Amino acid sequence: MSRRIALGMPKPRATDPTRVDLPDTSDRPDTPALRDRYAREATDLRVSITDFCNLRCTYCMPASGLTFLPKEQTLTAEEIVRMVRIGVELLGIEQVRFTGGEPLTRPDLAEIIAGVAALEPRPDISLTTNAIGLDQRAASLQEAGLDRINVSLDSVVSETFECMSRRPLLHRVLAGIEGAREAGLDPIKINAVLLPGVNDHELPDLLDWCLTRDLQLRVIEQMPLDADHIWDRTKMLTAADMHALLADRFTLRPVDEDRNGAPAELFEVTEIATGAHRGRVGIIASVTRPFCADCRRTRLTAEGSVRTCLFSREETDLRSALRAGADDEQIADMWRAAQWGKKPGHGMDRADFVQPDRPMSAIGG
Ligand code: SAM
Ligand code: SF4
């Protein structure tokens, strides 16, 4: 039996978890773009293609006990490409990043990328990955249309890597990075989350390791998105701590360029001992220096719901409409309505901040 789809500007359905206010779109200007009430327009789409992962990073997933989405609730490759096409053709999306969970655990990733690379106008296509298995797949992903990658690597010391990811797989990540380089993916950025007393003391060595290999390090403040809810604002390492950790060995000078909505603040790195300019490092201070006022993101979860922010407490289910036969314009209208309700900021610094129920792996970082 087919379900009826509301016409016009339907109200999005809140699926998670507290059913807070649905956006009222009566004051929304008549624009095709993904505009919100704070005059921001989303042009950057993050698509989670799976909530499954082969690592268990402590700041993201629990050691065990997480239930993953059944296959039938996860968008198919065809559905993902259709959603992205709606984003690109009707909503002004210019950049698409695939993430998860671990996107490489989907065997049809190249098919998804190829479908998106065939869109007009062609969006910029990137991938955030833990790189396990990338050595076998980098060439085919690059041929399919992948432009750039970010690899998550918190430590190049085996023991620390295993402690943080709960898996002894550093060698596989390093092989993946080499495979990406051989496939010609450029630039390769490295994402590292710093945890106090675990890998913070390794930061200067990690930066040196990356600069030596022409990899662009992005150090990320830990956010309250871990499944175990152990994040502690008073213990997390801040951007200021990161500067202090690097200060004995490197001088950091801010890069004088427009950030253009990018989350990382970039710095030129000079090695104090030699005076040599070594390259750049990025610091992503989502907690202590939020960049919400210039946020250009919208997110699609693996089950086809729009989240307007990592920290949203509500989602808009597009998959039900899609599978019930909604046309592209109807889906686009639901997406626009959802984006109109985007909050001005993530609210982590507010006393009434509540961590989302979903861990990062189930949202898509
Ligand atoms: N599995 C892939 C990976 O690790 O790159 C893609 C998904 S992962 C959720 C995306 C990014 O989110 C990674 O760079 C990871 O380090 C980051 N991340 C996960 N949990 C985080 C947290 N609690 N705070 C800050 N960054 C986090
Ligand atoms: Fe998996 Fe990425 Fe989360 Fe680590 S950060 S557990 S690799 S999804």
Side-chain angles (χ1 to χ4, degrees):
M1 206 170 65
S2 70
R3 287 179 45 197
R4 284 173 61 88
I5 303 297
L7 296 171
M9 180 66 82
K11 292 201 163 179
R13 208 184 87 194
T15 55
D16 170 41
T18 49
R19 291 185 170 267
V20 292
D21 298 353
L22 297 173
D24 167 13
T25 53
S26 55
D27 55 342
R28 187 184 181 280
D30 187 18
T31 167
L34 282 175
R35 182 90 54 91
D36 65 38
R37 282 202 180 81
Y38 306 92
R40 297 169 296 190
E41 269 179 24
T43 52
D44 179 353
L45 169 61
R46 303 271 156 136
V47 186
S48 172
I49 60 170
T50 178
D51 61 343
F52 180 75
C53 189
N54 40 17
L55 296 183
R56 290 290 180 276
C57 303
T58 55
Y59 49 78
C60 179
M61 292 179 87
S64 61
L66 205 60
T67 312
F68 298 106
L69 276 177
K71 195 165 178 225
E72 64 277 10
Q73 287 181 28
T74 307
L75 293 188
T76 64
E78 197 184 331
E79 288 172 331
I80 292 170
V81 174
R82 179 169 172 211
M83 290 291 203
V84 178
R85 182 174 57 70
I86 292 169
V88 168
E89 291 180 354
L90 302 180
L91 301 169
I93 292 298
E94 296 168 358
Q95 293 173 298
V96 180
R97 177 173 291 276
F98 294 106
T99 180
E102 177 43 51
L104 288 177
T105 61
R106 267 189 82 143
D108 53 3
L109 178 58
E111 184 191 329
I112 294 168
I113 289 173
V116 170
L119 297 176
E120 287 289 340
R122 184 196 188 286
D124 177 79
I125 305 172
S126 55
L127 176 73
T128 302
T129 173
N130 65 25
I132 292 172
L134 187 60
D135 46 331
Q136 303 299 316
R137 296 175 67 191
S140 63
L141 297 179
Q142 200 264 350
E143 274 161 31
L146 181 63
D147 296 311
R148 295 176 295 109
I149 59 163
N150 284 50
V151 174
S152 299
L153 175 63
D154 303 317
S155 172
V156 287
V157 178
S158 298
E159 296 74 26
T160 313
F161 180 92
E162 182 172 348
C163 171
M164 290 183 76
S165 66
R166 302 188 177 107
R167 297 288 185 274
L169 296 175
L170 175 64
H171 61 289
R172 306 240 0 234
V173 177
L174 299 183
I177 293 171
E178 269 323 297
R181 191 197 299 282
E182 281 162 23
L185 290 167
D186 183 39
I188 301 174
K189 294 182 185 166
I190 302 292
N191 292 358
V193 176
L194 277 203
L195 298 185
V198 183
N199 66 339
D200 50 347
H201 62 289
E202 296 175 6
L203 180 59
D205 285 344
L206 181 63
L207 176 57
D208 179 62
W209 187 91
C210 289
L211 293 171
T212 304
R213 290 160 180 78
D214 200 21
L215 302 167
Q216 299 187 18
L217 181 64
R218 300 279 183 269
V219 199
I220 308 173
E221 285 182 348
Q222 185 195 5
M223 295 182 279
L225 290 167
D226 58 303
D228 297 328
H229 290 221
I230 49 168
W231 180 84
D232 181 341
R233 174 72 178 81
T234 62
K235 298 209 178 100
M236 60 158 281
L237 286 155
T238 65
D241 295 327
M242 294 166 190
H243 282 276
L245 285 164
L246 292 170
D248 281 350
R249 207 153 134 200
F250 301 104
T251 305
L252 268 50
R253 185 171 47 80
V255 167
D256 189 18
E257 282 171 13
D258 188 351
R259 257 168 91 174
N260 231 346
E265 289 180 76
L266 295 181
F267 299 88
E268 302 286 359
V269 181
T270 303
E271 186 155 22
I272 293 171
T274 61
H277 176 250
R278 297 285 311 276
R280 289 180 172 183
V281 67
I283 295 186
I284 302 184
S286 321
V287 181
T288 61
R289 296 184 208 167
F291 31 85
C292 305
D294 197 23
C295 181
R296 301 174 193 182
R297 302 237 169 96
T298 188
R299 294 171 183 277
L300 194 62
T301 65
E303 69 266 58
S305 292
V306 170
R307 283 179 80 93
T308 58
C309 174
L310 276 176
F311 295 93
S312 296
R313 302 277 303 158
E314 56 186 356
E315 297 179 353
T316 302
D317 170 19
L318 299 186
R319 187 196 63 206
S320 298
L322 183 110
R323 292 188 179 172
D327 66 24
D328 290 353
E329 271 302 344
Q330 288 170 322
I331 304 267
D333 272 350
M334 291 180 76
W335 203 329
R336 290 184 189 110
Q339 199 71 20
W340 187 240
K342 181 172 167 113
K343 302 273 187 292
H346 54 48
M348 270 186 273
D349 39 5
R350 292 167 47 130
D352 59 354
F353 172 75
V354 181
Q355 177 170 343
D357 287 343
R358 281 173 180 261
M360 185 68 127
S361 60
I363 297 172

